[in-house]
Amino acid sequence: MSSATLASLYPQHIDTLLARSAEALQRGGFDHLLIPSGTLHYQAFDDRDYPYAVNPQFKAWLPLTRAPGSWLLISPGQRPKLLFLQPHDYWHVVPDAPSGYWVEHFDILTIRTADEALMHLPQDLASCAIVGEPHSALGDCTPNNPAAVVHYLEYHRAFKTAYEIEMMRQANRIGVRAHRAAERAFRAGASEFGIHLAYCQAAGQDANDLPYGNIVALNEHGAVLHYTDRDRVPPKPVRSFLIDAGASFGGYASDITRTYSAAEDEFAAMIRAVDAAQLELCDRVRAGTDYAHIHLQAHLLLAGVLREFGVLNVSPEDALASGVSSAFFPHGIGHGIGLQVHDVAGFAESDSGGRIAKPDGHPYLRLTRTLAPGMVVTIEPGIYFIDMLLDEVKAKGLGDAVDWSRVDAFKPFGGIRIEDDVVCTEDVPINLTREAFAA
Ligand code: GLY
Ligand code: MN
Ligand code: MN
């Protein structure tokens, strides 16, 4: 993507954020919005800092993800002001002077120490909504995170601007490039650790940049939902590979999962069946659709796959009603995604608060809102063979619903998950991940 594309979309993005900020401030009764970029955090009893994570409220405005100690000052009717901390420091890399398509939209003031920001922030702090983490406090300028302001900003952040969708498109392209490299490494016999390195190399990103820790799982490890170990030696034999890994671009995330079988076997056929179900679910990302309904549909489709492969003896409807489908699909169908891989306000009932409950029996669903144009969500159905959950099925007296010999046949493969990032539009959805795989 050319930076000309981003440059052409960015003014409308800024206008949208300015309009949202003005309304949020008005609702909270404030005159200014102050947003610290955040500071470094140090390990307990140590002088080592954790990897810096920028305040999402800050990176919503500009693609600056490594500028700790900087501040944004938004005052309705004025150009936004950036206090950019560029310290005199020979120990660390000093952030480059701001450049790029976004700088002309800000009044930028370079400060040399963190405290200097105080001279340029409003004196009347009672008139300021200060949105950030407690660590960012500077003198009396302490984040107050007024609920009315935060609710409004977070609720509306679900609706991405055209600029944000381009950013996420690019995050998907990088992620897909790295997924391809990871598959090649898997086919060449690499270990989990080796595949992870191949992924990072192809993405040009490591733990400091990736939007979340890579899940790189061979064989049974695919059944550990958040498997973040990385064996240094490949198992023998290698049967299957599940990789859940994303990429970042200018502060925006992609979140992508693929599963492969080493051979053309029954597990490969089950992956294809889950892939077909996943595509059907992606197509349901339509304006006006209740996302929780897609989650329940996923249970029915996945239980249908399990029945087709002889794992379940009962109908999808019975499997959902009894809870047996949850033993094989024990997480939510997905979540909002954007500046954060699990984007905020997934349960927000309105822009002034309230919470939309999850369906009973589905505690891990992360999004219950009704879809609307501009929302970007993941669709990530999965089937896993997890001893702990299967034991619970037996303990509840539901064991007859399952053909245990079929469970034994699939258990050595771990599990399957397919995950794409999908944009809800006025019309058919845009699948950013499939678009990148097709390129
Ligand atoms: N990678 C975390 C998730 O899929 O939600
Ligand atoms: Mn996800
Ligand atoms: Mn994921």
Side-chain angles (χ1 to χ4, degrees), residues 212 244 255 257 380 419:
Y212 58 91
D244 183 342
D255 182 5
T257 308
E380 48 183 302
E419 176 175 26

Side-chain angles (χ1 to χ4, degrees), residues 212-213 215 226 244-246 255-257 334-335 341-342 366 378 380 417 419:
Y212 58 91
I215 295 171
H226 283 171
D244 183 342
D255 182 5
I256 303 168
T257 308
H335 46 86
V341 66
H342 296 154
R366 287 196 170 97
T378 68
E380 48 183 302
R417 178 163 66 256
E419 176 175 26

Side-chain angles (χ1 to χ4, degrees), residues 2 30-31 42 45 80 89 94 97 101 116 125 181 190 225 248 259 290 308 313 352 399 405:
S2 72
F30 296 96
D31 299 328
Y42 290 87
F45 306 113
D89 179 351
V94 172
Y101 55 84
E116 246 181 82
L125 290 173
L225 296 184
S248 302
T259 309
D290 176 355
E308 181 191 332
N313 302 319
S352 54
S405 68

Side-chain angles (χ1 to χ4, degrees), residues 234-404:
K236 281 199 182 84
V238 176
R239 288 179 286 269
S240 58
F241 172 38
L242 184 156
I243 174 165
D244 183 342
S248 302
F249 185 73
Y252 289 85
S254 60
D255 182 5
I256 303 168
T257 308
R258 288 295 181 269
T259 309
Y260 306 95
S261 193
E264 182 43 57
D265 50 17
E266 254 194 328
F267 188 66
M270 190 184 266
I271 293 170
R272 284 194 291 274
V274 172
D275 193 66
Q278 195 266 1
L279 281 174
E280 198 173 326
L281 295 164
C282 289
D283 194 51
R284 291 174 184 258
V285 175
R286 305 276 176 147
T289 297
D290 176 355
Y291 188 77
H293 186 71
I294 301 181
H295 173 79
L296 298 176
Q297 277 304 120
H299 273 265
L300 295 174
L301 288 174
L302 293 169
V305 171
L306 287 165
R307 189 176 171 133
E308 181 191 332
F309 283 80
V311 177
L312 285 183
N313 302 319
V314 294
S315 71
E317 290 72 17
D318 285 353
L320 174 58
S322 64
V324 168
S325 61
S326 294
F328 295 92
F329 174 43
H331 58 74
I333 186 59
H335 46 86
I337 181 169
L339 290 162
Q340 288 161 264
V341 66
H342 296 154
D343 220 356
V344 288
F347 308 111
E349 191 171 37
S350 75
D351 58 18
S352 54
R355 188 177 169 88
I356 308 170
K358 302 169 201 183
D360 281 345
H362 298 268
Y364 299 114
L365 187 58
R366 287 196 170 97
L367 177 62
T368 51
R369 289 170 68 171
T370 295
L371 297 174
M375 283 184 166
V376 186
V377 298
T378 68
I379 294 291
E380 48 183 302
I383 287 177
Y384 312 87
F385 300 91
I386 302 172
D387 283 326
M388 181 184 129
L389 301 180
L390 296 170
D391 288 348
E392 283 174 17
V393 169
K394 287 181 188 156
K396 285 181 192 151
L398 297 167
D400 286 350
V402 177
D403 181 334
W404 296 100

